[in-house]
Amino acid sequence: MLIAILPLIVMTTGAFDAEIAHADAARTAERSPQVKLADLLGSADSIDSISGRGNTFRFVITRGDDHLELIATTNHRDVVSVVERERDFGGAGIIELANLSWLIDTMQATTAVTRLEVDDDGAVTMTTDEGMRYMAIPGRGSGGNAAVEGRWAGEWNRDEG
């Protein structure tokens, strides 16, 4: 009798697993630009600069010998697209290397960057899926202890909601 029920249990379990996989894929597809941005920043050897204007944000990173530019766009706040492209600096153009590299470890532990905002002074605030906010302030992060400055800004800008 149990042998006759076993195929039914296996078929039901398989259908349930397929349903879960489909739901996970739909959630990933929905958040993919946000996940992609966190992954790309987390895989960098250095994060050289971050800038924002309007709904467009530019991250200059180095991975190995490659200089890359990540262009993220938002719909006024939420990250909706990320494009990675190679950037040739011709041996010049980067004055301050790796001044934001403290973000690499943070992004490796982050699932998604959900929001990007730029203020009037050019400071870019990144919000993660867990509600943590990290601020990159122009001209800061290269002197002194960048990790402490960055984490301090992140802790003080945590969403309270």
Side-chain angles (χ1 to χ4, degrees):
M1 185 71 164
L2 284 176
I3 294 174
I5 297 174
L6 188 57
L8 181 60
I9 293 171
V10 171
M11 283 180 26
T12 305
T13 303
F16 183 69
D17 290 343
E19 189 176 311
I20 290 172
H22 179 69
D24 287 344
R27 274 194 301 275
T28 300
E30 179 182 307
R31 295 178 51 209
S32 65
Q34 298 171 355
V35 172
K36 182 178 180 180
L37 181 57
D39 289 345
L40 289 170
L41 292 172
S43 68
D45 292 327
S46 69
I47 300 174
D48 305 318
S49 70
I50 299 173
S51 59
R53 175 181 267 171
N55 296 340
T56 304
F57 296 81
R58 179 177 173 255
F59 299 80
V60 177
I61 67 170
T62 302
R63 189 180 308 121
D65 292 333
D66 297 326
H67 299 288
L68 304 167
E69 191 173 52
L70 309 176
I71 305 297
T73 55
T74 67
N75 61 357
H76 299 292
R77 286 185 61 156
D78 298 332
V79 176
V80 295
S81 73
V82 177
V83 176
E84 176 182 4
R85 63 183 183 199
E86 287 189 34
R87 175 101 176 160
D88 181 21
F89 294 106
I94 300 178
I95 297 170
E96 211 174 325
L97 286 174
N99 65 345
L100 296 165
S101 291
W102 58 267
L103 274 173
I104 294 170
D105 290 339
T106 301
M107 291 297 106
Q108 288 173 350
T110 298
T111 302
V113 175
T114 57
R115 292 185 173 180
L116 293 169
E117 300 171 83
V118 61
D119 67 16
D120 293 337
D121 295 331
V124 174
T125 301
M126 299 188 312
T127 305
T128 70
D129 59 319
E130 294 181 348
M132 287 297 298
R133 298 175 71 201
Y134 297 94
M135 182 178 285
I137 304 168
R140 304 264 321 261
S142 60
N145 188 336
V148 170
E149 289 174 2
R151 287 193 180 107
W152 180 85
E155 288 299 315
W156 283 97
N157 286 310
R158 181 182 293 186
D159 267 346
E160 297 296 327

